[in-house]
Amino acid sequence: MEHYKQLINDAPFNPSPTTYRILIKGLVDNNRLERALELKEEMDVKGFEPDPVVYHHLMVGCVRNSDVDGAFKLYEELKEKLGGVLEDGVVYGSLMKGYFMRGMEKEAMESYEEAVGENSKVKMSALAYNSVLDALSKNGKFDEALKLFDKMIMEHNPPRRLAVNLGSFNVMAEGYCAQGRFKDAIEVFGKMGDYRCSPDTLSFNVLIEQLCNNGMLTEAEKLYGEMGEKGVNPDEFTFVLLMDTCFKENRPDDAAEYFRKMVDAKLRPNLAVYNKLVNGLVKVGKVDEAKSFFDLMVKKLKMDIASYEFIMKALNESGKLDEVLNVVDTMLDDDGVEFSEELQEFVRGELRKEGREDDLAKLIEEKERQKAEAKAKEAEAAEAAKRSARAAVSSLLPSKLFGNKESESSSAEANGNAVEASVVNGEPQVDQKESIKETSSSESSSESEEDK
């Protein structure tokens, strides 16, 4: 919105309907429906024609918020502004969803017939079709959705007529999954290329999630493999889906490998994902592997006290006290967490069992000494830098600007010697400033005589 305000205030042109479409969709997608509605009012004030696509985005927001009355009100408002006739069918999907939410199936299907029936004069874009397709698919009308999808495929004749797009195939894949027809979902997903549609990361993730959640990990992994073949990059969500499912399928090594691939791909798993990984590895006794991932991620993530405590206790239960101290060493270097008294007592108690209680105190003392030395070196380096900077500046500018005492002293001594010599020769002592003035006056008089 800040960019929008700047556009309004500074740009030498006014925002177009396309500008409003983009802004309103963004606001709706980010659950800021009230602000989106305000922008619609702003369009009215500026004299823009009613835009069905804008009303579509707003009605989607209302339905998402279960505000059916709001969706109906927007539909009636648009219809009234357009003289009672809707030629663009983009709002019908949300209208149907509103009716379904109210249990008004008859009205929903009447709206469907009005939009896509044989005698309909409503123009249906791919966006409009997809909205209706989604309404049917998610409200017990999947057979009707299949018929509509076939109709869309028949009408599709690019570049003249674009009746299907990526969203169409996403809706159908989800619909098949909801019916438990996963092979059909995979099949329709694979047909995208036949209609000049290319799946994106979101498309793959939707289907991979459905497959993972329904015990079809092998199929999900095959789909993941196709991502690289089609030049589509998996994101954090892709890898986490596969990692979680591998743990559920008792494949911890594969789960760890997906996490590593995520890191190698320069993606940024968060602390929650890291915790899932090490928890899963520790549960199956792979403590060394968990520690290796701790070492890998401790510099990349902001570990909290719970993450440190978990790995310490896991290592301790495996009898790896030296590794526990190694984690303590790392923790003491981390300024973002505090080595609490409770955790110190836990470590101290475990060391005491092995007669090594002093090891912790020695480690803390050594760390404090190192930090003190580092701090002293930093202060010394900072002071040296200041001296170097002063010296560099001093060498570039006149010494008088810095009050060079040695130069002033030498100058004063020279003046004193000159005065003393004058007295010895019997000449009167004249103030240096007066002498300068007299000289200047004499020169001026000479120039005046010459001018005459």
Side-chain angles (χ1 to χ4, degrees), residues 45 54 110 196 254 256 286 288 404 406 439:
V45 172
V54 166
E110 286 176 352
R196 301 186 186 181
D254 292 329
K286 292 183 175 290
D288 289 339
N404 192 310
E406 186 176 346
T439 302

Side-chain angles (χ1 to χ4, degrees), residues 24 68 140 152 193 291 346 348 353:
I24 287 172
V68 176
M152 293 163 62
K291 175 58 166 57
F346 163 74
R348 194 177 292 113
K353 294 175 184 178

Side-chain angles (χ1 to χ4, degrees), residues 1-11:
M1 287 306 297
E2 291 302 321
H3 293 295
Y4 166 72
K5 292 175 183 176
Q6 185 175 353
L7 176 70
I8 296 298
N9 296 331
D10 301 337

Side-chain angles (χ1 to χ4, degrees), residues 269-320:
N270 58 30
L271 186 60
V273 174
Y274 159 81
N275 286 335
K276 280 185 179 182
L277 172 70
V278 294
N279 283 340
L281 291 172
V282 169
K283 280 181 181 178
V284 295
K286 292 183 175 290
V287 178
D288 289 339
E289 288 86 344
K291 175 58 166 57
S292 71
F293 280 105
F294 169 83
D295 293 336
L296 175 67
M297 300 304 298
V298 70
K299 300 296 183 182
K300 300 177 186 290
L301 295 172
K302 290 184 178 180
M303 296 281 182
D304 58 17
I305 187 68
S307 299
Y308 278 107
E309 184 176 356
F310 178 84
I311 196 66
M312 284 185 199
K313 289 186 176 180
L315 291 166
N316 177 66
E317 288 175 7
S318 297
K320 301 178 183 293

Side-chain angles (χ1 to χ4, degrees), residues 45-179:
V45 172
K46 290 183 179 292
F48 287 108
E49 291 292 324
D51 187 342
V53 175
V54 166
Y55 278 82
H56 159 70
H57 293 315
L58 294 170
M59 289 175 69
V60 167
C62 288
V63 170
R64 188 180 297 158
N65 291 345
S66 299
D67 182 9
V68 176
D69 288 336
F72 289 164
K73 181 180 177 182
L74 285 165
Y75 171 77
E76 293 297 336
E77 179 184 306
L78 176 63
K79 191 173 181 179
E80 181 182 348
K81 287 182 176 181
L82 294 176
V85 179
L86 291 181
E87 294 183 354
D88 190 330
V90 73
V91 297
Y92 277 92
S94 292
L95 179 64
M96 290 172 61
K97 288 179 181 178
Y99 282 132
F100 279 124
M101 290 172 73
R102 283 282 172 85
M104 302 167 67
E105 182 178 313
K106 178 176 177 289
E107 289 79 0
M109 297 311 291
E110 286 176 352
S111 297
Y112 170 61
E113 185 66 23
E114 182 180 327
V116 302
E118 290 184 10
N119 299 319
S120 175
K121 295 181 180 179
V122 177
K123 296 178 181 178
M124 298 293 287
S125 63
L127 176 62
Y129 270 135
N130 292 347
S131 183
V132 172
L133 200 64
D134 192 54
L136 293 170
S137 178
K138 292 180 178 176
N139 289 282
K141 299 292 180 180
F142 189 64
D143 288 341
E144 286 294 333
L146 288 173
K147 293 176 185 178
L148 178 59
F149 185 65
D150 288 340
K151 173 184 171 69
M152 293 163 62
I153 291 293
M154 292 293 291
E155 288 184 10
H156 190 63
N157 185 27
R160 292 183 179 180
R161 178 77 171 104
L162 300 177
V164 298
N165 60 17
L166 173 61
S168 313
F169 288 94
N170 288 343
V171 171
M172 291 309 298
E174 283 190 78
Y176 275 122
C177 288
Q179 300 293 315

Side-chain angles (χ1 to χ4, degrees), residues 399-417:
S399 60
K400 288 183 179 180
L401 293 177
F402 296 92
N404 192 310
K405 300 298 182 182
E406 186 176 346
S407 297
E408 290 177 1
S409 177
S410 299
S411 177
E413 184 177 350
N415 289 338
N417 292 338

